[in-house]
């Protein structure tokens, strides 16, 4: 009979309650998205934003904002459509845009792109104090 193996030491960390798994966390991007929709949702909806366009303003700020994520306002619609299709197909590197783009239909992508190409409600935002 082989000798018995010594007992394994159990780390106290193994006994601690586990945190929520990564896939259930909303993350910073998700929080920004939720905050933007809650803060700006009524304004953009009143300006005729198509379904789904409100989620873009959380990261893609106004034209000339100079943030790390480029503004979509005034960009050519065909470029926005092409980028979203590439994100959705996994052909373009992304942090969250691949997951966001998968939630839009082709018609929604075109409507969002056309809305942003037309300024995306930019004139109304610039006129506010």
């Amino acid at each position: 009979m082989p000798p018995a193996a010594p007992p394994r030491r159990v780390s106290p960390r193994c006994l601690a309650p586990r945190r929520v798994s990564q896939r259930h966390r909303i993350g910073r991007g998700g929080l920004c998205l939720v905050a933007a929709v809650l803060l700006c949702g009524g304004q953009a909806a009143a300006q005729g934003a198509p379904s789904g366009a409100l989620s873009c303003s959380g990261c893609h700020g106004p034209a000339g904002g100079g943030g790390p994520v480029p503004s979509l306002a005034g960009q050519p619609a065909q470029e926005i459509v092409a980028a979203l299709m590439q994100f959705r197909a996994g052909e373009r590197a992304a942090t969250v845009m691949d997951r966001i783009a998968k939630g839009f239909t082709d018609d929604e992508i075109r409507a969002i792109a056309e809305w942003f190409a037309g300024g995306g409600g930019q004139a109304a935002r610039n006129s506010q104090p």
Side-chain angles (χ1 to χ4, degrees):
M1 185 164 173
R8 290 185 5 194
R9 291 187 57 182
V10 177
S11 168
R13 288 185 189 171
C14 294
L15 303 175
R18 297 206 178 236
R19 294 184 181 191
V20 177
S21 70
Q22 188 65 22
R23 67 182 166 173
H24 295 295
R25 290 185 180 177
I26 192 166
R28 279 187 282 173
L31 289 175
C32 290
L33 177 66
V34 170
V37 170
L38 292 175
L39 294 173
C40 304
Q43 175 187 351
Q47 297 167 9
S51 175
L54 300 180
S55 62
C56 305
S57 63
C59 298
H60 296 275
V69 180
S71 173
L72 297 174
Q75 297 294 321
Q78 62 271 22
E79 288 181 17
I80 297 171
V81 169
L84 285 170
M85 295 294 191
Q86 290 170 341
F87 283 129
R88 191 168 68 177
E91 299 169 353
R92 188 169 177 165
T95 53
V96 296
M97 280 305 304
D98 52 342
R99 294 173 289 200
I100 292 171
K102 286 178 184 176
F104 296 132
T105 66
D106 289 348
D107 290 338
E108 288 172 328
I109 287 174
R110 280 190 289 277
I112 290 168
E114 290 170 8
W115 187 72
F116 275 111
Q122 189 64 36
R125 275 196 294 274
N126 287 341
S127 68
Q128 292 186 353

